[in-house]
Amino acid sequence: MAETRTALVAGANGIIGKALMHELAASKGWRARALSRRSHGSSQAIAADLTDPDATRAALAQAREITHLFYAALAPQQSLADEDRVNGAMLCNLLDGLEAAGAPLERVVLYQGAKVYGVHLGPVPAPFYEDENPRHIGPNFYFTQEDELRGRADRGGADWSILRPDVVVGDAAGNAMNIAMVIGAYAALCRVEGAAFRFPGPAHIYEGVFAQVTDAGALGRASLWAATSDAARGEAFNYVHEPFRWRRVWEKLAAALDLPLGPPMPMRLATHMADKKPVWARLVVEQGLSELPYEKAVGWSFGDFVFHSDFDLVSDMGKIRRAGFGESVDSVEALIAAIRRLQEAKVLPF
């Protein structure tokens, strides 16, 4: 009989976690348990506040069967120092809880983003290589979490593998870093006002800067590979799709969403869309949408970060391909599919 692995998905309500739960359910040889702060609703789900070590340990007392941990939990904070302190402690609390429960943990798959290369601090030469970019001075919680995994493995603990996606495209509702939700909501509000679908960033970014995204479903499949492949043990891998210029993507999005295209119009969405709450409330009533508060439904500030990043964001994909995982997804198709799923789920208006 084939071995059955038991996965714990931390952050199961998020973009990565939701896709992971779906992929695990469809994969033979896996059982999956969700872990999240808010209720997940799946069988044997665990609700835990990972910032509380005692509560985490108590919640994990019945998780003795966990063999693989997929760590996609994130607690954004106002400062980088607080983000480092809080998120570093959360991972420690979870690993300590599994150890106290006696779980036979074999491998941890951790997720990082392009911030590991310092893109949040300013221009970084592209492409980004896993073994070439030296660390910048902290705080950076990615460094703290990675060092924790390395240290535990060196002391005889679980193996680890790291995946580095960028701008993950998925259909989790209420996530502040859901670019599909930002684009879909912006498109819907353009339609209501009879406005052209104009890229909300500078023209030079629209025309000439390379960007990248990662489809959440493909990332889920890469995660299962990273959790089981010998080539992935103790290694970090970029995982993105082919880079693009926003003009190409925006034109295809406009056609798919049946909106008139206009030239770029630089704006800060967090400011410019602040008065759209009444319009959104009307759409919620008219189309029977989820009553997620407007302030939580769309991460306009994340859209501003993405649409105003004025240097190339390109992660080299050679390492993961040479190691044995080569799946890619068309970025535009991933964005359109995620928007459609959000519409069908009554999270986004048509």
Side-chain angles (χ1 to χ4, degrees), residues 276-298:
K276 301 298 188 287
K277 183 175 180 178
V279 180
W280 189 265
R282 188 172 75 246
L283 288 170
V284 168
V285 173
E286 291 174 352
Q287 298 193 24
L289 304 180
S290 166
E291 295 186 1
L292 193 66
Y294 180 66
E295 296 80 5
K296 294 183 178 180
V298 191

Side-chain angles (χ1 to χ4, degrees), residues 13-15 18 38 170-176 178 181 290 292 296-298 342 345-348:
N13 286 321
I15 293 178
K18 181 179 180 182
R38 293 179 288 109
D171 56 11
N175 189 291
N178 187 346
M181 187 70 189
S290 166
L292 193 66
K296 294 183 178 180
V298 191
L342 286 163
K346 294 292 186 178
V347 176
L348 271 177

Side-chain angles (χ1 to χ4, degrees), residues 11 23 39 74 128 163 220 233 305 307 325 348:
E23 292 299 327
S39 174
L74 175 65
F128 313 140
L163 293 176
R233 181 186 293 112
F305 175 78
F307 300 138
F325 190 83
L348 271 177

Side-chain angles (χ1 to χ4, degrees), residues 13 53 102 156 175 186 200 214 244 269 320 347:
N13 286 321
N175 189 291
Y186 176 67
T214 303
F244 57 80
L269 293 171
I320 195 169
V347 176

Side-chain angles (χ1 to χ4, degrees), residues 27 43-44 65 68 83 92 94 102 112 118 132 158 167 207 243 247 268 284 293 298 305:
S27 299
S43 175
Q44 294 187 304
E65 77 281 20
H68 292 74
E83 198 163 66
C92 287
L94 178 49
Q112 299 175 336
E132 187 173 277
V167 189
E207 297 284 357
R247 180 186 186 118
R268 291 291 174 177
V284 168
V298 191
F305 175 78

Side-chain angles (χ1 to χ4, degrees), residues 122-206:
V124 178
F128 313 140
Y129 295 97
E130 297 92 337
D131 63 352
E132 187 173 277
N133 296 69
R135 285 185 177 183
H136 60 267
I137 191 168
N140 189 318
F141 75 91
Y142 289 143
F143 302 161
T144 300
Q145 291 180 334
E146 181 175 337
D147 290 346
E148 184 66 28
L149 292 183
R150 289 179 181 273
R152 288 180 185 245
D154 289 344
R155 297 191 297 272
D159 293 331
W160 57 270
S161 181
I162 292 172
L163 293 176
R164 294 174 177 170
D166 194 18
V167 189
V168 180
V169 176
D171 56 11
N175 189 291
M177 293 189 291
N178 187 346
I179 196 63
M181 187 70 189
V182 172
I183 293 173
Y186 176 67
L189 293 169
C190 286
R191 178 175 287 109
V192 168
E193 296 200 357
F197 187 58
R198 302 169 72 134
F199 179 74
H204 74 278
I205 294 176
Y206 183 70

